[in-house]
Amino acid sequence: MNSASAVFLATIPSPDRGVWHLGPIPIRAYALCIIAGIILAIWWGDRRWVQRGGTKGTVVDIAVWAVPFGLVGGRLYHVITDWWRYFGEGKDPVKALYIWDGGLGIWGAIALGAVGAWIGCRRKGVPLPAMADAIAPGIIAAQAIGRLGNYFNQELYGAHTTLPWGLEIYQRFDPNNPTIPDQGPNGIAFGHIPLADSPVHPTFLYELIWNLLIAALVVYADRKMRLGHGRAFALYVAGYTLGRFWIELMRTDDATHILGLRVNTWTSILVFAGAMVYFFLAKRRGPREAPETLRSKDDDTADDTDKVAPERE
């Protein structure tokens, strides 16, 4: 085995495609990862909500509002910040609606998703900050799962590296014509031809690992400090943006820049500052919300069989 083969075997290979077909039905890895993340966030969030004293099923009811709002917000943020991908000479504006091809901005998803959650919380008669605390670790765990979709789409990577965990990225082609390059999610890596910068830093993997660590941090801090009034959610936001800041500095894929920095880098700085201010100011609101304030207004009786055992602090 020559040295080049040895180096190749030490790297992480990319999938040859992000879309499979069952007859005429496309099975998209990105969409499956998003769906799996949403399911995990709802399940974990509902479990934490019940542990805090809330009504079982409330998170599911609120997700009916929050998830669609979040998906629309995430897509809007992506299209606005990366408008040049869809508008201008030679571009197809209709593709701005192709959410299944990837492209969801977490900032837009959180912002508009919060609007949907606020509507749901108002309808159920529960406080939004308390709900945010319950779902915080599930949200960032869902983001970690979503990064696997970026892996299949062969996106969100950094500069060239010789480290053993470098990611091999391949030239993809139109599945109907292997002579036409197509680096989009529908392309297929016929022949596994490495791109010029390959192997590269797998920044999607760095963020995936970071997100799982922040999820663990939020759970730990929440149990030790009995965080309430949105402070667990603020800790999640601060932790996530701290990681997103340094990861964005490593990325080399196309993105919109402002004053020499990627727009997501600036957003991370501003959101981190806001989250930290809220985390400390919200402490003045006192102890965590009382369990009786978390019961849904349409929950006339407390069914003990539906409750998970309270947290052990």
Side-chain angles (χ1 to χ4, degrees):
M1 180 182 295
N2 58 38
S3 59
S5 299
V7 171
F8 177 81
L9 292 176
T11 58
I12 302 172
S14 289
D16 64 351
R17 68 186 71 192
V19 182
W20 296 262
H21 288 81
L22 291 178
I25 302 175
I27 307 298
R28 301 178 183 275
Y30 183 86
L32 292 178
C33 290
I34 295 297
I35 292 170
I38 290 172
I39 292 173
L40 172 64
I42 293 173
W43 172 81
W44 195 0
D46 196 59
R47 185 175 178 84
R48 282 172 51 83
W49 182 249
V50 173
Q51 288 173 339
R52 288 167 120 79
T55 306
K56 184 176 178 62
T58 300
V59 172
V60 178
D61 293 335
I62 291 173
V64 171
W65 293 90
V67 171
F69 273 71
L71 291 175
V72 171
R75 188 59 176 180
L76 281 175
Y77 180 91
H78 168 73
V79 172
I80 291 171
T81 56
D82 285 4
W83 60 269
W84 46 271
R85 297 181 186 272
Y86 309 101
F87 305 100
E89 186 177 354
K91 304 295 184 179
D92 183 3
V94 176
K95 290 186 177 181
L97 303 176
Y98 291 2
I99 193 173
W100 52 85
D101 280 347
L104 290 173
I106 185 60
W107 314 117
I110 292 296
L112 210 52
V115 174
W118 176 78
I119 295 173
C121 285
R122 291 268 296 182
R123 292 172 62 88
K124 301 297 289 185
V126 298
L128 176 61
M131 177 59 65
D133 286 337
I135 64 176
I139 290 178
I140 195 166
Q143 291 174 228
I145 295 175
R147 285 307 180 213
L148 289 174
N150 299 129
Y151 171 57
F152 281 93
N153 280 2
Q154 199 170 248
E155 56 192 3
L156 272 65
Y157 52 80
H160 174 75
T161 180
T162 57
L163 294 171
W165 55 81
L167 175 71
E168 290 287 349
I169 50 175
Y170 307 121
Q171 175 64 61
R172 289 183 173 182
F173 300 90
D174 186 329
N176 298 315
N177 189 340
T179 64
I180 300 177
D182 181 0
Q183 288 302 117
N186 295 309
I188 298 178
F190 295 114
H192 295 88
I193 304 170
L195 293 178
D197 292 335
S198 186
V200 295
H201 280 286
T203 51
F204 82 90
L205 179 60
Y206 299 163
E207 185 173 329
L208 186 158
I209 295 172
W210 179 269
N211 288 352
L212 294 179
L213 291 175
I214 296 302
L217 172 64
V218 171
V219 171
Y220 176 80
D222 193 30
R223 289 180 177 176
K224 289 295 183 181
M225 302 168 63
R226 291 188 57 81
L227 299 174
H229 306 288
R231 296 183 73 213
F233 189 83
L235 182 61
Y236 139 63
V237 172
Y240 172 70
T241 51
L242 180 63
R244 186 65 183 265
F245 173 79
W246 63 264
I247 290 170
E248 283 290 328
L249 294 178
M250 298 182 66
R251 287 174 57 179
T252 59
D253 52 327
D254 293 336
T256 303
H257 287 70
I258 299 177
L259 299 177
L261 292 178
R262 299 165 70 98
V263 66
N264 282 331
T265 304
W266 287 112
T267 306
S268 295
I269 294 172
L270 296 174
V271 176
F272 172 81
M276 291 303 298
V277 169
Y278 182 92
F279 180 81
F280 289 107
L281 290 182
K283 186 177 182 180
R284 300 177 182 177
R285 302 184 65 180
R288 177 188 290 178
E289 297 87 344
E292 58 269 19
T293 67
L294 308 185
R295 305 299 294 182
S296 173
K297 67 179 181 181
D298 54 8
D299 179 34
D300 297 327
T301 59
D303 185 353
D304 292 336
T305 62
D306 279 346
K307 297 193 69 175
V308 178
E311 295 173 319
R312 294 183 179 179
E313 305 296 341

